[in-house]
Amino acid sequence: MKNVKIAIMGMGTVGGGVYRLIEMEGERIAREQSICLEVKKTLALAYSVEVPESVKAANVQEIAEDPEISIVVELMGGMEPAKTFIKTMLEAGKTVVSANKQLIANAWPELEAAAKKGGAGFYFEASVGGAIPIIRTVNTSLQANTIQSIEAIINGTTNFIMTKMCDEGGDFAEVLKEAQDLGYAEADPTADVDGFDAMYKLSILSSLAFCSRMPIDKIYREGIRNVSKKDIDCIKSMGKEVKLLAIGKKDGNKVQLRVHPTIIPKEHMLATVKGSFNAVFLKCSMADDLMLYGRGAGDLPTASAVVSDVLNAATQEAPAYARFKNVEGEVDPEICFDDNWQTGYYLRVQGGDAAQKAKAALEKRGIQIAQEIALDGDLALIIDQAHEQEIQAAVQEMGGVASLLRMQ
Amino acid sequence: MKNVKIAIMGMGTVGGGVYRLIEMEGERIAREQSICLEVKKTLALAYSVEVPESVKAANVQEIAEDPEISIVVELMGGMEPAKTFIKTMLEAGKTVVSANKQLIANAWPELEAAAKKGGAGFYFEASVGGAIPIIRTVNTSLQANTIQSIEAIINGTTNFIMTKMCDEGGDFAEVLKEAQDLGYAEADPTADVDGFDAMYKLSILSSLAFCSRMPIDKIYREGIRNVSKKDIDCIKSMGKEVKLLAIGKKDGNKVQLRVHPTIIPKEHMLATVKGSFNAVFLKCSMADDLMLYGRGAGDLPTASAVVSDVLNAATQEAPAYARFKNVEGEVDPEICFDDNWQTGYYLRVQGGDAAQKAKAALEKRGIQIAQEIALDGDLALIIDQAHEQEIQAAVQEMGGVASLLRMQ
C-alpha cells in the first residue's frame, strides 16, 4: 500500500467534489489500486464542504513546505493567484493536477517550465470535457494516429441552451435565464456563452492532438448569442440541429481552429448529445471515427478526472511533458493557420431588395445557392460549399445579414 | 530515441494492418514519441501484406530466442497454437500484445501466470471494441469510480445486421447473406451471430470494470438468429430499436452478465450506433454516464489499438497485472451471480387461445402487461418490469412463444 498525501487548493464545487469523492471511494481505491489517498491540507477562502480545521492551511507556503505532500490539486480557477500558487508547488517539486483550462490555455509553457525546473508532473485531464478521458486517450491511446480533425461539444452551458432552444423552442434570452436559475449558467455567462471556455479547451486539446502548440489567438471564436428562434425553426425544418462546436482540423501543415455555432445533420453522433453533456468526435488516420461522450462539468464527474490524474501521477515513475516545443509566444513556423476555411453556410436576409442584393453579391463571387427557404418575410440561403473570406466579403457587400451560421 | 524491435505472429487482416500502420505512421511516431518501431520478425502461415523474406521467421523459437525482440504482437486468433506461442514468449520475458478475445476470456489466468513468471507485460486493448480505448479508460481513467453498469455494442457483425434489419427491413437470413457478401460476416457466422464474440469481450471488460474475474460460464448468452422482421416492425412502431447488447451490472456483490438482443429507446445514445460501429456505455458512481464509440473491427482501427499497447509497453517501467485474483476456475466467493434479473420484456404469441393462455400464465404470476399490440394474427405483449425466472416459467407454461425479447 502506497500512502499518498495531497493538498487541494480551491474548495468550491469541484474542490468539494474531490474531497467527497475521496471520502466515498477512498477505501475501494485503496483496496483495488493499493493507493491510500489522504487530503492532508486544503487552501481556500470559502468551503463548499465541511473540512476539519486541522486540515485547513493558513497559506500557500504551508503546503509548499510540507514534505509529506507530493501532489497538489488546483481547483481555484482563473489566472491569479492560481498561476503563482501552481508555480510555487511545481518549483517545490510537487506534482500539480489542475482543471484550470483558462490558465493552461494562456500559460502552459510557463507552467511546464516550472514543472521541469522542479522535476514535477503537471496533469490536467479535467481541464477538457470534465469526466471524459479525452486527454489521456489522445496521449496514450491514439499515438499511432495522425489526428485529422476534432469536432467537440466541450461547453455544457451552451449545449444545454442550444438543446433547449432546439427541442423546446424559446429565445436565447429566455433559455439563458432558465439555465441561470438551474445553476447551469453563471450570473455573468460571458465565458460560456461567448465561447471563451470552449476556446481554452480547444487550444489545449488541439495542441495535444496535433502535437504542436495551438495558441488561443489562432482560434476564431463566436458565441451563441445571435442564434435566434427563427433560425432554429428553419434549421429544424431542414432536419438539422445547431450546436456550439469547437473545431480543429489539420491537413498537412494547414490548421484551422474555430469555435462557433454549427449546423449539423440530425443523424450525426454529435446531434444526439443533449443538455449539459459533452462529447469529442475525432477523425483519425488509423482508428477512423472515434467519439467520447460524458459529463463535461459538475462536482463529482470533474473530480473523477482529477482523481484519475492523482492516481496516475502517484504510480508514474517519471513525469511526462508535452511532446512538442512548448514556449510562450512561439508556434511551429511550419504550421500555417488557415482562417479561410471551406464549409457550408446558412445566411438569413430580409426578403425583397435585400434578398436580391444578397444573391447578387454571392453570384458575383461564384458562390452557388443550393437552397432558398422563405421564412415569414425573410429568406434563408443555404450554401453547400464556400470559403469563409468570400462569404465575409459578400456579407460586407450586402451591408450585413440577419444571420450567418456555418454548416458542417 | 528508443529503438523497439517487435515481432508479429499472425499476418492476416489485423496483422497486416499493424505492419502497414508502422510503414505509414512509423516516422511520425518516432518524431513525436521518440520511439522507433521496427517489425524484425513475422510468423504466419499466410500473409495479407508483402513482407521481405528476411523478416519471416521459420518458427516460434526464432522469435522467442531473439534477444533484440522485446515485444511480440499476437494476432493469430483462436485458442491454439496462439496460447502456446504466447506463453512461450511471456516466459521468455517478452511483453505480449494480443487482440485474441477468445483466448483471453478462456485462459487469462494461465497467460497472466506466464507473464508474471517471465516478468513480462501482457496487453490486450484491441481485444475489446477494436479502436475504442475502453480497456485503458477503465484501467487508467475510471479508477476513482465504482462502475455500476456496462451496456455495450461490441460485435460489429451483429450490429451491422441489426441496423440493416431496423433501418431497411429484410429478414435475418437475407441480411446475413448480404453481410457475408460484404465481408462483414464470416462464412461460418456462429461466433458473431450467436453472441460468443460479445460474450468473450464482456468477460474481459466486466472483469476489469468490476475488479473481479467474470468467467464466461457466468454469462447468459443469446444471439440474434431469432429476431424476426415481424418483431422489428413492431418494435420500430413503438419508437424503439433492437441491438445485440452485452450487459454487465453490479450492485453491491450482486452481478448480472448477459448478452442478448435488447430493445432500447430510439433516444438512447446506443440507438445511434449504426452499422459495424461499436460503443460502450458505462454508468459510473462519480463520472456518471460515459460512452466511447468507434470502429470495433477492421485492419487499421484494430492496429491503432495494438500499436498504442506496443508504445505504452515500450515506455512503461514495470508491467501491470489484473488488480484482482486471477486464478483459473476461481471466482470471488463474495460475488453472487444473479440470473434472475429484472427488466422489461416483449413477448409475441399467436392470437386467439394461445394469447388467452399467455395472458393467464402472466397474470397468475402477478406480471402486469403494460401494452398489447396486434400484429397480423399475433399479439405482442409488452411487460415493463418482471423477473427473468418468472418470465421463463410463464413461457414454459404457455408451451413456448413466437418471440421473447428483453427491453432495456
Side-chain angles (χ1 to χ4, degrees):
Chain A
M1 185 70 67
K2 193 166 178 175
N3 287 295
V4 175
K5 293 193 202 306
I6 71 168
I8 308 176
M9 304 191 298
M11 287 295 288
T13 307
V14 180
V18 171
Y19 194 86
R20 285 170 53 222
L21 184 150
I22 293 172
E23 282 182 337
M24 290 186 281
E25 298 280 348
E27 218 172 288
R28 187 193 50 75
I29 291 170
R31 196 168 61 242
E32 294 179 1
Q33 310 279 330
S34 299
I35 294 176
C36 178
L37 293 177
E38 185 198 323
V39 180
K40 194 180 172 198
K41 292 282 169 200
T42 58
L43 182 71
L45 295 174
Y47 283 79
S48 69
V49 292
E50 222 169 286
V51 170
E53 287 305 314
S54 60
V55 167
K56 295 180 182 172
N59 52 52
V60 72
Q61 276 70 36
E62 196 183 321
I63 297 172
E65 288 165 9
D66 188 328
E68 285 194 337
I69 293 172
S70 56
I71 300 173
V72 179
V73 173
E74 180 272 317
L75 299 165
M76 309 161 68
M79 296 298 291
E80 284 294 355
K83 185 163 90 171
T84 303
F85 285 10
I86 290 180
K87 284 178 67 180
T88 303
M89 297 304 164
L90 290 170
E91 287 173 3
K94 300 196 187 304
T95 284
V96 170
V97 172
S98 171
N100 193 333
K101 50 254 172 189
Q102 183 187 0
L103 176 59
I104 299 165
N106 279 285
W108 188 356
E110 195 179 337
L111 299 171
E112 191 164 88
K116 285 180 180 169
K117 196 170 152 192
F122 182 50
Y123 295 79
F124 40 87
E125 178 66 73
S127 68
V128 182
I132 302 172
I134 187 63
I135 288 182
R136 197 163 294 110
T137 293
V138 167
N139 284 342
T140 68
S141 290
L142 296 176
Q143 316 98 305
N145 293 269
T146 302
I147 298 179
Q148 295 153 336
S149 74
I150 304 165
E151 289 172 296
I153 295 171
I154 40 179
N155 179 273
T157 306
T158 46
N159 202 55
F160 176 86
I161 294 172
M162 296 311 297
T163 304
K164 274 262 169 191
M165 287 177 73
C166 282
D167 289 0
E168 298 169 28
D171 239 325
F172 172 75
E174 278 167 53
V175 180
L176 172 62
K177 173 85 176 52
E178 194 183 335
Q180 284 170 324
D181 291 345
L182 287 166
Y184 284 119
E186 316 244 358
D188 176 1
T190 307
D192 295 316
V193 161
D194 293 321
F196 289 96
D197 177 78
M199 174 185 74
Y200 299 141
K201 291 167 175 168
L202 179 62
S203 166
I204 298 168
L205 182 56
S206 61
S207 296
L208 294 167
F210 300 153
C211 210
S212 187
R213 184 150 158 78
M214 300 286 142
I216 51 176
D217 62 11
K218 302 294 183 189
I219 302 177
Y220 173 85
R221 177 188 52 77
E222 185 182 310
I224 62 167
R225 284 187 201 267
N226 298 325
V227 181
S228 71
K229 189 171 169 350
K230 203 166 190 175
D231 294 321
I232 286 185
D233 289 345
C234 176
I235 290 159
K236 281 183 65 95
S237 77
M238 293 160 62
K240 295 179 187 276
E241 298 245 349
V242 199
K243 296 284 185 190
L244 182 72
L245 292 193
I247 299 171
K249 295 191 181 180
K250 186 164 186 286
D251 184 7
N253 289 324
K254 239 173 149 181
V255 170
Q256 38 174 283
L257 299 169
R258 42 197 174 105
V259 171
H260 54 64
T262 310
I263 300 170
I264 58 176
K266 260 200 173 45
E267 296 72 34
H268 194 283
M269 287 296 293
L270 287 172
T272 62
V273 178
K274 302 281 184 181
S276 64
F277 274 92
N278 281 16
V280 180
F281 191 95
L282 302 174
K283 279 192 191 292
C284 308
S285 59
M286 301 289 128
D288 194 22
D289 291 353
L290 190 76
M291 189 178 93
L292 277 70
Y293 162 94
R295 290 262 173 220
D299 52 352
L300 297 174
T302 310
S304 164
V306 168
V307 175
S308 79
D309 272 353
V310 169
L311 293 168
N312 287 314
T315 48
Q316 208 133 31
E317 304 283 318
Y321 302 112
R323 297 196 185 101
F324 49 86
K325 201 177 163 197
N326 203 1
V327 175
E328 190 53 48
E330 278 188 35
V331 291
D332 180 348
E334 303 252 301
I335 298 272
C336 161
F337 290 94
D338 176 16
D339 55 5
N340 192 25
W341 56 79
Q342 207 176 1
T343 193
Y345 290 86
Y346 164 101
L347 293 178
R348 179 161 59 82
V349 294
Q350 287 185 327
D353 282 356
Q356 289 318 311
K357 202 172 158 188
K359 288 196 231 177
L362 294 169
E363 201 178 318
K364 191 169 140 188
R365 288 168 179 81
I367 302 170
Q368 289 205 332
I369 299 165
Q371 202 185 342
E372 294 182 24
I373 302 168
L375 280 176
D376 53 332
D378 289 0
L379 194 68
L381 304 173
I382 310 301
I383 295 152
D384 282 344
Q385 280 282 9
H387 280 98
E388 178 72 16
Q389 286 172 2
E390 289 284 292
I391 290 287
Q392 293 290 357
V395 167
Q396 199 163 20
E397 187 174 315
M398 295 171 206
V401 288
S403 299
L404 164 59
L405 291 169
R406 290 162 193 87
M407 308 212 307
Q408 195 198 29
Chain B
M1 185 71 67
K2 194 168 179 173
N3 288 295
V4 176
K5 292 190 202 306
I6 72 169
I8 308 175
M9 303 190 299
M11 288 293 291
T13 307
V14 180
V18 171
Y19 194 87
R20 283 170 53 221
L21 183 150
I22 293 171
E23 283 183 335
M24 290 186 283
E25 298 280 349
E27 217 173 289
R28 188 193 50 75
I29 291 171
R31 197 169 59 241
E32 293 179 1
Q33 311 278 331
S34 299
I35 294 176
C36 179
L37 294 177
E38 184 196 325
V39 181
K40 194 181 173 198
K41 292 281 169 202
T42 58
L43 184 71
L45 295 174
Y47 283 79
S48 70
V49 291
E50 221 169 288
V51 169
E53 287 305 313
S54 60
V55 166
K56 294 179 182 174
N59 52 52
V60 72
Q61 276 70 37
E62 194 182 323
I63 296 172
E65 288 164 10
D66 187 329
E68 284 194 336
I69 293 172
S70 56
I71 300 172
V72 178
V73 173
E74 181 272 316
L75 299 165
M76 308 162 68
M79 296 300 289
E80 285 293 355
K83 187 164 88 171
T84 303
F85 285 9
I86 290 180
K87 284 176 68 181
T88 303
M89 296 304 164
L90 290 170
E91 288 172 5
K94 301 196 187 303
T95 284
V96 170
V97 172
S98 172
N100 193 332
K101 48 256 173 186
Q102 183 187 0
L103 176 60
I104 299 165
N106 279 287
W108 187 356
E110 196 179 336
L111 299 171
E112 191 163 271
K116 285 181 180 167
K117 195 170 152 194
F122 182 49
Y123 295 78
F124 41 87
E125 178 65 77
S127 69
V128 182
I132 302 173
I134 187 63
I135 289 182
R136 196 163 294 114
T137 293
V138 168
N139 284 342
T140 68
S141 289
L142 296 175
Q143 315 100 306
N145 293 269
T146 303
I147 297 179
Q148 296 153 336
S149 75
I150 303 166
E151 289 171 297
I153 295 171
I154 40 180
N155 180 271
T157 306
T158 48
N159 201 56
F160 176 85
I161 295 172
M162 297 312 296
T163 303
K164 274 259 170 194
M165 287 177 74
C166 282
D167 290 359
E168 297 168 30
D171 240 325
F172 173 74
E174 276 166 52
V175 179
L176 171 62
K177 173 84 177 54
E178 193 182 335
Q180 285 170 323
D181 291 345
L182 287 166
Y184 283 121
E186 316 244 357
D188 175 1
T190 307
D192 295 316
V193 160
D194 293 322
F196 289 96
D197 176 77
M199 175 186 74
Y200 299 142
K201 292 168 176 169
L202 179 62
S203 167
I204 299 169
L205 183 55
S206 61
S207 296
L208 294 167
F210 301 154
C211 210
S212 187
R213 184 150 156 78
M214 299 286 142
I216 52 177
D217 61 11
K218 303 294 184 188
I219 302 177
Y220 173 84
R221 179 189 50 77
E222 185 183 310
I224 61 167
R225 285 189 201 267
N226 297 324
V227 182
S228 71
K229 189 171 168 355
K230 204 167 189 174
D231 295 321
I232 286 185
D233 290 344
C234 177
I235 289 159
K236 282 184 63 95
S237 77
M238 294 160 62
K240 295 181 188 276
E241 299 244 349
V242 200
K243 297 285 183 188
L244 181 72
L245 292 193
I247 299 172
K249 294 189 181 180
K250 187 164 186 282
D251 183 8
N253 290 325
K254 239 174 150 181
V255 170
Q256 39 174 283
L257 299 169
R258 42 196 173 105
V259 172
H260 55 63
T262 311
I263 300 170
I264 58 175
K266 260 199 173 45
E267 296 71 34
H268 195 284
M269 287 296 292
L270 288 172
T272 61
V273 178
K274 302 282 184 181
S276 65
F277 274 94
N278 281 15
V280 180
F281 191 95
L282 303 173
K283 278 192 191 294
C284 308
S285 59
M286 302 289 127
D288 195 23
D289 292 353
L290 190 75
M291 189 177 94
L292 277 69
Y293 162 95
R295 290 263 172 218
D299 52 352
L300 297 175
T302 311
S304 163
V306 167
V307 176
S308 80
D309 272 354
V310 170
L311 293 169
N312 287 313
T315 47
Q316 209 134 29
E317 304 283 321
Y321 302 113
R323 300 196 182 102
F324 49 88
K325 202 176 164 197
N326 203 2
V327 176
E328 190 53 48
E330 278 188 35
V331 291
D332 181 348
E334 304 251 300
I335 298 272
C336 161
F337 290 95
D338 177 17
D339 55 6
N340 192 23
W341 57 78
Q342 208 177 359
T343 193
Y345 290 86
Y346 164 101
L347 293 178
R348 178 159 60 84
V349 295
Q350 286 185 326
D353 282 355
Q356 289 316 310
K357 202 171 160 188
K359 286 196 230 176
L362 294 170
E363 201 178 318
K364 192 169 140 186
R365 289 168 178 80
I367 300 170
Q368 291 205 331
I369 298 166
Q371 202 185 341
E372 294 181 24
I373 302 166
L375 279 177
D376 52 330
D378 289 0
L379 194 67
L381 304 173
I382 310 300
I383 295 153
D384 283 344
Q385 278 284 8
H387 280 98
E388 178 72 15
Q389 286 172 3
E390 288 284 293
I391 290 286
Q392 293 291 356
V395 167
Q396 200 161 21
E397 190 175 312
M398 295 171 205
V401 288
S403 299
L404 164 58
L405 292 169
R406 293 163 190 86
M407 306 212 308
Q408 195 198 31

